[in-house]
Amino acid sequence: MESLLIKGGVPLEGEVWISGAKNAALPIMAAALLTPEPCIIHRVPNLSDVRFMAQILNWLGASVTFKDGTLRIEARKIKGYGDYDLVRKMRGSICIMGPLLGRLKRARVSLPGGCVIGARPINLHLKGFEALGAKITIEGGYVQASARRLVGSAMFLGGRAGSTVLGTANVMMAATLAEGVTVIESAACEPEIVDLAKFLNAMGAKITGAGSPTITITGVKELHGAEHELIPDRIEAATYAIAAAATDGEVTIKGARADHMHAVLDKLEEAGVSVVRRGPDLIVSRKGRLRPVDVTTLPYAGFPTDVQAQMMALMTLAPGISIITERIFESRFMHVSELARLGADIEIEGPSAIVKGGRPLSGAPVMASDLRASAALVIAGLAARGTTQVNRVYHIDRGYENIDGKLRQLGARIQRIEDT
Ligand code: EPU
């Protein structure tokens, strides 16, 4: 297994290019199942999650090639069945279900199960499929959806934590090939949903309202091939911005979308970080001493849960108390005990973490538990004195393209090593 070895205390300086968004790539790749014609997707990040999704599409019968950031997917003939061993490894793979149901009118996919950040139910996805007329059965760990015909209808997809990103994506994809009009209320407003709608519309779908809580889909008979460039990864951009602030460096983040990052950039500014917006670039540096800020994660356009761990790492460096409240996933605080190994003082009180910041961090071996927790540990390691070894780096490779290479380019002393 690989680890990252970080010698901390070096301010990050220079430029970093942001990759295409992982969470836009996965549903858009699945959407290519809706047509037998070839689809071309550009700016695709080379990540283990993306390669894994390509394997799933391949297993379903699609031919997939991936070269120099461009994916070509041709799903001439596909089967409507997603095996447990495929789906359990990546929770995001549940988004094959909507396209399979849309195109074949039947889908049988293994229930993904929970993961380290929470239970991750799919009841809202199924509620949406049922509203389109599908019959849902659950047996032997598999969920089956089937319909003679899918018929558009109005539905409310809000859940206990608000909207659902992949639930909205799944229902939107199935509804493109339903008869009549579907209206999703309490739809997710994330930029990745807007990107998916853009791709589906390029395929011939009729979707309006994406980016707002009401999305309207007028069904069409068939979809055709399309070409698309993914939006930049706002979570990756936020992670580098936080790393720049944590190391007291100055980093130009190239090719980002500040308009997708208002909540994060606003919090960073409140914390004493300077963010200069220059077209698609962001220049991030500290203005003086870091200040503690309170953060609550919310669906878009609120502060993203996928940046909560990284922000917490930054707040361990800000003298004073900050309260970080997680409202999306019930157990997304796995990084807290690992940050404590670096010297951070954090207490968990229900859905909140109380960070008493300002103590110097010192390097130690730590264990990555999930993707964003690992990013937080890398940030803390970059800011800490001495050497930090982040174990189980495969978590970070799921969502950050070439993170060690990009950080080295910014002057970080970071090395990937094979554990003995
Ligand atoms: N929820 C339900 N019922 C459902 C679906 C969701 O109650 O049927 C709840 C969840 O338990 C959670 C909340 O709704 O409390 C939001 O979950 P959501 O469905 O929006 O999450 P997701 O679509 O499964 C995507 C991203 C996650 C990101 C979340 C929230 C992908 C592939 N994954 O997951 O990304 O954290 O939205 O923004 O797009 C990551 O990249 O590290 C990651 C975990």
Side-chain angles (χ1 to χ4, degrees), residues 115-159:
C115 74
V116 67
I117 64 176
R120 312 202 70 178
I122 58 161
N123 58 310
L124 297 170
H125 303 227
L126 302 183
K127 182 182 176 189
F129 295 149
E130 270 180 331
L132 295 176
K135 190 168 164 284
I136 307 287
T137 49
I138 293 177
E139 221 187 289
Y142 281 78
V143 56
Q144 179 147 338
S146 56
R148 238 174 14 88
R149 41 198 278 258
L150 293 176
V151 182
S153 76
M155 63 185 81
F156 177 78
L157 287 192

Side-chain angles (χ1 to χ4, degrees), residues 173-188:
M173 290 190 277
T176 56
L177 293 177
E179 296 165 29
V181 178
T182 298
V183 179
I184 306 176
E185 296 290 358
S186 195

Side-chain angles (χ1 to χ4, degrees), residues 210-281:
S212 83
T214 305
I215 299 180
T216 304
I217 306 127
T218 305
V220 295
K221 281 225 154 45
E222 57 185 19
L223 296 175
H224 51 73
E227 194 161 348
H228 180 76
E229 180 175 311
L230 297 175
I231 51 169
D233 196 312
R234 62 195 168 97
I235 309 299
E236 188 197 25
T239 302
Y240 284 103
I242 293 173
T247 58
D248 202 2
E250 180 173 310
V251 173
T252 302
I253 295 167
K254 309 278 290 176
R257 288 273 305 259
D259 59 322
H260 291 167
M261 299 172 66
H262 288 306
V264 171
L265 299 182
D266 190 66
K267 274 293 161 199
L268 284 176
E269 285 172 331
E270 199 184 320
V273 178
S274 148
V275 181
V276 179
R277 296 150 176 86
R278 197 165 288 162
D281 301 341

Side-chain angles (χ1 to χ4, degrees), residues 388-407:
T388 296
Q389 180 166 345
V390 182
N391 295 306
R392 299 195 183 162
V393 147
Y394 59 86
H395 285 295
I396 210 161
D397 292 332
R398 295 184 58 175
Y400 289 90
E401 189 176 39
N402 186 24
I403 190 167
D404 37 332
K406 287 188 183 186
L407 284 170

Side-chain angles (χ1 to χ4, degrees), residues 22-23 120 122-124 160 164-166 306 328 372:
K22 166 183 84 90
N23 289 347
R120 312 202 70 178
I122 58 161
N123 58 310
L124 297 170
R160 63 181 167 78
T164 161
V165 179
L166 290 179
D306 291 345
I328 307 293
R372 309 303 171 187

